[in-house]
Amino acid sequence: KQEVTQIPAALSVPEGENLVLNCSFTDSAIYNLQWFRQDPGKGLTSLLLIQSSQREQTSGRLNASLDKSSGRSTLYIAASQPGDSATYLCAVKGGGADGLTFGKGTHLIIQP
Amino acid sequence: KAGVTQTPRYLIKTRGQQVTLSCSPISGHRSVSWYQQTPGQGLQFLFEYFSETQRNKGNFPGRFSGRQFSNSRSEMNVSTLELGDSALYLCASSPEGGANEKLFFGSGTQLSVL
């Protein structure tokens, strides 16, 4: 059974810092890995999707990497802003028929 | 283009009752998935519908069911509610439900079971 772990569970940094969020998964047989953002009381917004054949994806200040063989992904946020404060969720799409498997998320606070 | 719409936004029910939640996908999207989010278990996959057929199912008891209509709108039903069913229920849509398609989520229905 696929398990996804995100470290740290919570992170608070001053505005302007670069930061890295970590995600690990136990079964490397995946179609893709996705990073989402969730604001309080809201649904999820897809940030980046990395297919299993890719190593990284970039969108603006966000860069996500994938090392399938070691079961790891990182989300790099450059020049953090207070508007980046949210919970960031990592999810993998496995080869089975179970939809996405999510980690518990990293709660990020950017201090003005 | 309107996003994924879920109704109602909040629901309060008592144990033993049943509840129906509704999800309207983005226009043109034919795949609808449902997820349950709780503080303890996080996000867990319930099921996926495509062209009015359940295509995938997560590990939930039979009290959780769903359906999809010809216009791709979907409903999920929970019968004989238990306290542990209190959660945020999220619906997501994608064009064809392909393995490498991004999912677009609604804002969810917050269900409280008393």
Side-chain angles (χ1 to χ4, degrees):
Chain A
K1 181 188 169 192
Q2 178 74 269
E3 292 184 4
V4 179
T5 303
Q6 292 188 245
I7 294 173
L11 183 62
S12 181
V13 301
E15 180 179 4
E17 282 201 5
N18 303 324
L19 57 100
V20 175
L21 307 182
N22 296 291
C23 171
S24 62
F25 48 96
T26 55
D27 186 348
S28 62
I30 62 170
Y31 280 112
N32 62 58
L33 182 143
Q34 301 183 49
W35 284 92
F36 293 88
R37 168 189 172 134
Q38 185 173 30
D39 293 282
K42 299 283 183 65
L44 278 65
T45 300
S46 178
L47 298 173
L48 291 164
L49 183 154
I50 312 175
Q51 296 183 27
S52 62
S53 59
Q54 299 173 326
R55 294 299 300 254
E56 65 177 339
Q57 282 287 328
T58 298
S59 176
R61 294 182 294 109
L62 305 179
N63 176 276
S65 68
L66 173 64
D67 184 342
K68 204 173 73 158
S69 60
S70 68
R72 294 173 188 259
S73 175
T74 60
L75 178 67
Y76 176 82
I77 302 176
S80 58
Q81 303 170 357
D84 295 331
S85 298
T87 296
Y88 290 80
L89 293 148
C90 164
V92 296
K93 174 69 174 174
D98 293 337
L100 293 176
T101 301
F102 282 86
K104 295 283 182 72
T106 293
H107 181 55
L108 176 64
I109 296 174
I110 307 299
Q111 307 154 9
Chain B
K1 210 175 198 183
V4 177
T5 304
Q6 292 189 244
T7 57
R9 185 71 180 91
Y10 301 95
L11 264 178
I12 299 176
K13 294 286 186 179
T14 56
R15 278 181 299 174
Q17 287 187 310
Q18 74 165 14
V19 68
T20 299
L21 314 181
S22 179
C23 172
S24 293
I26 291 172
S27 177
H29 285 194
R30 296 197 293 161
S31 170
V32 174
S33 301
W34 289 89
Y35 288 81
Q36 181 196 65
Q37 186 176 29
T38 60
Q41 298 297 318
L43 274 148
Q44 294 182 285
F45 172 71
L46 281 156
F47 28 63
E48 181 209 359
Y49 285 86
F50 179 81
S51 289
E52 303 178 64
T53 301
Q54 186 181 89
R55 191 155 67 174
N56 295 312
K57 188 178 189 305
N59 189 27
F60 277 80
R63 299 185 297 107
F64 292 82
S65 63
R67 60 178 175 168
Q68 187 180 34
F69 302 94
S70 58
N71 62 357
S72 294
R73 189 177 72 84
S74 177
E75 290 181 346
M76 68 163 281
N77 183 276
V78 188
S79 62
T80 319
L81 284 165
E82 301 177 359
L83 295 179
D85 297 333
S86 294
L88 179 65
Y89 290 88
L90 293 164
C91 160
S93 76
S94 69
E96 302 288 328
N100 283 315
E101 287 181 348
K102 280 189 177 181
L103 293 184
F104 296 83
F105 281 81
S107 296
T109 293
Q110 183 68 55
L111 172 65
S112 297
V113 182
L114 306 178

